[in-house]
């Protein structure tokens, strides 16, 4: 009983978290229920049922498999399903007409041959990355419909009527799904992508701001960083690729809505996402360097150079953070960033100044360069040791 | 015509590449065709058809949607489908029995209410990560079957017979898929995961070996690195997470086969994969540091320290590379790595020696530490500038 209670508490916590993370999820559940209830009316109302007969079940089936969380997802699956069904249905009827010419014995053999060839060919096309990304579901439905029509043509008498009924029920199903996703609390994949990319830039900025305050400020101690919240924030950016890719694929299917035109440059978001991840991976190395290697004690030697480096670090992180914040708010408001370039230029200049200051002393700069490479390698060695130790 | 020709050439190149990358893909296409041809026999042979009737189409449908590239994928989808159908089917029959009690007018209302509640609840469960990862398909089928049974129970007279037929045809479909995937050139997800993890370790080792030869060797010049093939090889490791995750999910469903027992520690591969990606991300920073910052010219000063750092770098990279090679071959042969720990210890020692050598000169070591952080920050600044410039 105790364990059951524990599990129930754990589950209810999980449920609360899911709802809190994105309250639109609850609306989505009701939308699925609503769409299913709407199509089932075709069963309950006798005049409607008599028009479509048993085929009505295809409408229910379509709603269940086509309904997705975002408008783009539903649209992509719905259109894929509708077009694949039409195409494969016509091909299937054609195959039947050819097979009939071969007589009673030849028909099943020829039909089997058609199904085998089309299924194998279509399955192969799913390995092509472009088709996999956008039309994977359509190809499945194509194989499915072609096989069903071609094979059952051997038994069904009124093939054309059956095909007609099936296409109309699938159209009803797709229309119901689209109606509910677009008109009842729509969740646009494009909007989510837009927000996610801007949020990721903000996360990167938060890390840099935290770093400046904790490590390069006047009284900064650079200690206990791992317990600070800003120090983990970039990590979620590192793994953002899968969700961004799927939102991108769905966004391309969506019609214009709100601030987003029909030919909104979604590709740009993908580029920005990739660059953000590169940034986050550099942060990963920086932060693990800072935490693994102990801070050297402050000594009296070369106070000036030390202060100079610190100031440059502070400048670089704060200006970069400002530029990132500016960019993220520019994305959010869809305006040109006013002063991001100025901040970037300032941080680049700080970096260049520091480099030239360090390289004044030729011997020192060379040692620093080599030491830098060796430290990065040492970091790699530690990670390799982690692999060996696992 | 010219453009058509170009496209055809491009397509044929793509097809050749797909086949060359993994020739088992061709076998998979034939397997899908074969499985479909086998289930369509139930249509062509009259005694078989009479037993199952129109429900035969569910066998075709099952084969098309359940057939996956790997055994684990097919097994997971097939079992999900079979169990979800059984469970939802029985629930649906139960719902019908309750609804009938409410008379002719109440029945459709109660049925609609059941469908709405179950569909909304089941849809919500798909947001729970654990269910999403392993049972997503099962939940879809559960909603589908429950809705179909409950809704059509309003019209169909012989509900039990229909349910019986449907369950048997789905069982036939799942059995056909499993038979073809397991017995005709099986592709095991576990084996692929095993190979991919070992390959990734090899890729990391290749990078380190190349680095040693090009940058830390006696006549190494550290130039034109970007054109060298070893310099890009770690990049594919960075993006290996999605494919590893899906292979992991499928591998858990697979029965024991070959060297892999039933309770093979698949979780270990996931851990190793995550560590490899961390390694690759450190390589990313190192390689972009080496390429963006120009090599300082060799001067006469401090020759000894310079040579010492170089030697340490060479030692670190070669020993780490050896450890990684050893580990990957240990994974491949499933034996304990003989001397990986020795190599790791050697590379850790080289790193520690270098650190202590550098820290002998307290002032220098402090400057190196600060310079290191500032260089990493400068790298970050460059990447931020890249974001701003995109």
């Amino acid at each position: 009983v105790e364990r059951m209670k524990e599990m129930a508490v754990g589950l209810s916590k999980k449920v609360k978290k899911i709802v809190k993370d994105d309250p639109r999820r609850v609306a989505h559940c009701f939308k699925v229920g609503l769409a299913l209830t709407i199509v089932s009316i075709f069963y309950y109302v006798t005049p409607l049922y008599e028009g479509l007969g048993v085929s009505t079940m295809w409408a229910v089936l379509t709603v269940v498999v086509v309904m997705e969380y975002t408008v783009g997802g539903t649209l992509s699956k719905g259109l894929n399903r509708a077009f694949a069904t039409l195409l494969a249905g016509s091909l299937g009827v054609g195959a039947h007409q050819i097979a009939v010419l071969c007589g009673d014995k030849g028909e099943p053999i020829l039909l089997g041959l058609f199904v085998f060839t089309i299924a194998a060919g279509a399955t192969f096309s799913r390995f092509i990355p472009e088709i996999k990304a956008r039309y994977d579901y359509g190809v499945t439905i194509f194989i499915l419909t072609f096989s069903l029509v071609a094979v059952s043509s051997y038994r069904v008498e009124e093939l054309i009527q059956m095909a007609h009924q099936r296409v109309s029920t699938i159209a009803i199903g797709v229309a119901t799904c689209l109606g509910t996703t677009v008109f009842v609390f729509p969740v646009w994949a494009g909007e989510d992508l837009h927000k996610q990319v801007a949020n990721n830039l903000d996360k990167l900025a938060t890390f840099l701001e935290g770093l400046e305050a904790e490590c390069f400020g006047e009284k900064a101690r650079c200690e206990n960083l791992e317990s600070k919240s800003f120090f983990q924030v970039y990590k979620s950016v590192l793994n953002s690729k899968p969700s961004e890719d799927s939102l991108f694929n769905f966004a391309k299917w969506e019609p214009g809505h709100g601030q987003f035109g029909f030919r909104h440059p979604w590709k740009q978001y993908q580029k920005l996402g990739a660059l953000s991840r590169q940034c986050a991976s550099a942060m990963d190395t920086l932060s693990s360097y800072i935490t693994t290697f102990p801070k050297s004690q402050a000594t009296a030697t070369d106070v000036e150079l030390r202060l100079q480096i610190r100031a440059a670090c502070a400048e670089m992180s704060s200006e970069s953070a400002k530029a990132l914040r500016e960019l993220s708010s520019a994305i959010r408001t869809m305006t040109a960033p006013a002063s991001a370039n100025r901040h970037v230029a300032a941080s680049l200049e700080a970096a260049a100044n520091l480099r030239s200051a360090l390289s004044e002393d030729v011997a020192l700069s060379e040692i620093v360069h080599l030491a830098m490479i060796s430290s990065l390698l040492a970091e790699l060695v530690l990670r390799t040791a982690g692999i060996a130790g696992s």
Side-chain angles (χ1 to χ4, degrees), chain A:
Chain A
V1 177
E2 273 300 301
R3 273 197 63 201
M4 288 280 280
K5 224 177 172 180
E6 244 170 64
M7 273 172 70
V9 171
L11 188 69
S12 83
K13 263 191 198 157
K14 216 173 247 174
V15 168
K16 266 184 205 152
K17 192 180 172 302
I18 289 168
V19 175
K20 220 187 118 200
D21 282 355
D22 191 350
R24 299 174 301 176
R25 285 172 175 165
V26 179
H28 174 67
C29 299
F30 284 109
K31 274 149 73 181
V32 173
L34 182 67
L36 267 178
T37 316
I38 292 175
V39 284
S40 38
I41 289 174
F42 282 85
Y43 263 99
Y44 303 138
V45 180
T46 310
L48 288 175
Y49 185 76
E50 274 167 0
L52 296 165
V54 200
S55 289
T56 318
M57 71 165 230
W58 286 95
V60 176
L61 202 147
T62 304
V63 168
V64 175
V65 294
V66 162
M67 199 76 177
E68 286 276 321
Y69 186 51
T70 59
V71 176
T74 311
L75 207 56
S76 110
K77 272 198 155 178
L79 292 183
N80 260 312
R81 180 161 197 123
F83 283 108
T85 307
L86 265 180
L87 185 65
S90 348
L91 269 181
V93 172
H96 166 70
Q97 241 105 49
I98 294 173
V100 163
L101 301 177
C102 295
D104 265 7
K105 285 214 170 145
E107 195 183 343
I109 295 171
L110 208 61
L111 283 176
L113 212 67
F114 280 140
V115 169
F116 184 89
T117 329
I118 293 267
T123 303
F124 188 81
S125 81
R126 300 173 73 174
F127 288 116
I128 300 172
E130 288 85 358
I131 292 185
K132 178 96 193 156
R134 296 197 73 176
Y135 307 110
D136 193 53
Y137 184 66
V139 176
T140 311
I141 296 300
F142 177 83
I143 303 176
L144 175 62
T145 311
F146 181 82
S147 314
L148 281 184
V149 173
V151 171
S152 66
S153 73
Y154 184 65
R155 294 279 172 191
V156 174
E157 295 299 309
E158 288 160 347
L159 194 63
I160 301 293
Q161 200 209 330
M162 188 191 84
H164 179 78
Q165 278 185 347
R166 205 155 292 175
V167 169
S168 2
T169 43
I170 286 175
I172 291 171
V174 170
T176 313
C177 288
L178 283 180
T180 11
T181 37
V182 175
F183 298 116
V184 188
F185 301 112
V187 176
W188 300 97
E191 216 175 298
D192 278 17
L193 178 62
H194 179 86
K195 277 186 197 147
Q196 185 175 322
V197 169
N199 277 341
N200 280 350
L201 291 182
D202 271 337
K203 282 180 189 165
L204 300 182
T206 306
F207 175 81
L208 284 171
E209 284 163 2
L211 204 65
E212 195 220 335
E214 291 290 331
C215 288
F216 310 128
E218 265 180 45
K219 284 182 193 154
R221 316 215 36 178
C222 219
E223 275 167 5
N224 282 332
L225 289 173
E226 270 142 327
S227 63
K228 304 276 173 6
S229 67
F230 81 87
F231 211 64
Q232 312 292 336
V233 88
Y234 68 88
K235 283 192 181 153
S236 68
V237 180
L238 279 177
N239 293 324
S240 61
K241 189 174 164 54
S243 80
E244 252 175 53
D245 280 354
S246 91
L247 286 176
F248 169 73
N249 271 327
F250 291 155
K252 284 196 294 190
W253 289 90
E254 287 174 355
H257 57 279
Q259 322 160 270
F260 305 94
F262 174 56
R263 289 201 165 276
H264 196 75
W266 300 117
K267 202 113 202 123
Q268 285 295 320
Y269 291 98
Q270 238 188 355
K271 247 173 80 186
L272 261 179
L275 290 168
S276 308
R277 279 188 292 280
Q278 277 184 15
C279 236
S281 124
M283 286 175 181
D284 196 41
T285 318
L286 176 59
S287 66
S288 66
Y289 177 80
I290 292 180
T291 46
T292 36
F293 292 94
K295 199 174 67 141
S296 49
Q297 278 125 24
T299 52
T301 53
D302 234 339
V303 176
E304 203 187 321
L305 183 59
R306 220 172 61 218
L307 285 178
Q308 200 183 357
I309 298 182
R310 269 200 169 214
C313 284
E315 175 96 2
M316 284 193 280
S317 37
S318 79
E319 292 293 333
S320 292
K322 275 178 204 155
L324 287 170
R325 287 259 181 242
E326 183 97 26
L327 287 169
S328 98
S329 81
I331 290 177
R332 263 183 243 278
T333 56
M334 286 196 181
T335 50
S339 52
N341 283 327
R342 220 184 56 224
H343 291 302
V344 167
S347 62
L348 283 173
E349 206 192 312
N353 285 342
L354 181 64
R355 262 222 349 259
S356 68
L358 282 176
S359 61
E360 263 168 31
D361 185 342
V362 179
L364 176 69
S365 87
E366 202 184 333
I367 295 298
V368 165
H369 183 77
L370 281 172
M372 168 91 188
I373 292 179
S374 68
S375 308
L376 286 172
L377 257 177
E379 178 67 38
L380 249 174
V381 166
L382 280 182
R383 296 193 180 186
T384 310
I387 295 182
S390 82

